[in-house]
Amino acid sequence: MINALTSAVFVVGVGLALANLTGIVASALGLVSYWPPGERDRTYYVHWGISHSLNVVMLALTYLSWNSLGLPRGPSLAAGAALFVAGYGVAITAGLDLGVEETKGLAGDLRTGGWYRYSRNPQYVGYVVATVGFALLANSGLVAVVCAIYLGWWLSLPFAEEPWLREQYGEEYERYAERVPRFVGRRTVRALVGNRADETAVSDRG
């Protein structure tokens, strides 16, 4: 039985998550200019204010509804932990490659090295994996609903960003987009294999 406090926290979480998702999707459709902000304007503070508030709400919701879904605890805990740690690790290291300002949606340099050799959006790929892992860790239907909205964020954000990136970087971005997939694909695998082969060749010569 869900108590009143848990229900209230859940409603707030869904509201916050949907507010940001609406802005992101509307940006992707060209209806508004919500994401990326490009500079520290009103939409920048609105987006990040909602995001940080939602993080706090999610922690509270996880605490209140922990392990209420009924999935087998051992397997869901192990799988969730593995996915969360791996995905979050990729997202954080990719964020370091991109830079703090650019990660916040601010104007900066086009980064094509590091994790960005394999995917144009490695942070979002990592966060997709981490979000699924977190839902399994929490083992909560309420948390899973909010995590599903989070997944909508990660999958929609590139479509909101790409027109802005093309405007900012022009042909440089077009060439980059031609050789590197939006998320992951065969070109990601080829780049990873090629990079590993190069490292092996260098090691052999040494």
Side-chain angles (χ1 to χ4, degrees):
M1 186 72 178
I2 301 173
N3 61 38
L5 176 59
T6 304
S7 297
V9 172
F10 172 69
V11 169
V12 171
V14 168
L16 290 171
L18 287 176
N20 253 358
L21 178 60
T22 300
I24 294 164
V25 171
S27 295
L29 294 174
L31 301 176
V32 299
S33 180
Y34 178 75
W35 182 266
E39 59 186 28
R40 286 182 169 84
D41 58 8
R42 184 180 64 85
T43 57
Y44 169 89
Y45 291 106
V46 169
H47 173 87
W48 288 109
I50 290 173
S51 297
H52 294 318
S53 298
L54 182 56
N55 288 338
V56 174
V57 171
M58 276 292 282
L59 288 175
L61 183 62
T62 301
Y63 174 78
L64 292 168
S65 62
W66 178 261
N67 203 30
S68 60
L69 184 57
L71 295 175
R73 186 69 292 202
S76 64
L77 197 62
L83 291 172
F84 180 77
V85 171
Y88 199 69
V90 168
I92 293 301
T93 54
L96 294 175
D97 285 340
L98 182 61
V100 174
E101 296 296 288
E102 291 85 349
T103 294
K104 292 179 179 178
L106 302 175
D109 297 326
L110 179 64
R111 309 298 173 91
T112 60
W115 284 95
Y116 289 83
R117 291 174 292 175
Y118 313 118
S119 169
R120 302 204 305 271
N121 298 282
Q123 287 190 73
Y124 301 150
V125 172
Y127 281 130
V128 164
V129 175
T131 299
V132 173
F134 189 82
L136 289 171
L137 273 174
N139 195 15
S140 160
L142 299 181
V143 170
V145 169
V146 182
C147 283
I149 303 173
Y150 263 121
L151 292 176
W153 285 21
W154 311 132
L155 297 174
S156 300
L157 280 165
F159 297 96
E161 292 171 351
E162 285 172 9
W164 182 82
L165 290 168
R166 287 186 165 88
E167 181 180 328
Q168 290 287 309
Y169 305 113
E171 278 297 315
E172 185 182 5
Y173 180 79
E174 293 291 354
R175 291 193 299 270
Y176 173 59
E178 286 175 2
R179 70 176 188 271
V180 178
R182 179 179 288 117
F183 294 109
V184 293
R186 286 177 294 179
R187 286 176 291 176
T188 304
V189 175
R190 286 199 297 267
L192 285 166
V193 171
N195 186 57
R196 180 60 59 87
D198 290 343
E199 290 176 354
T200 301
V202 170
S203 178
D204 289 344
R205 287 197 298 269

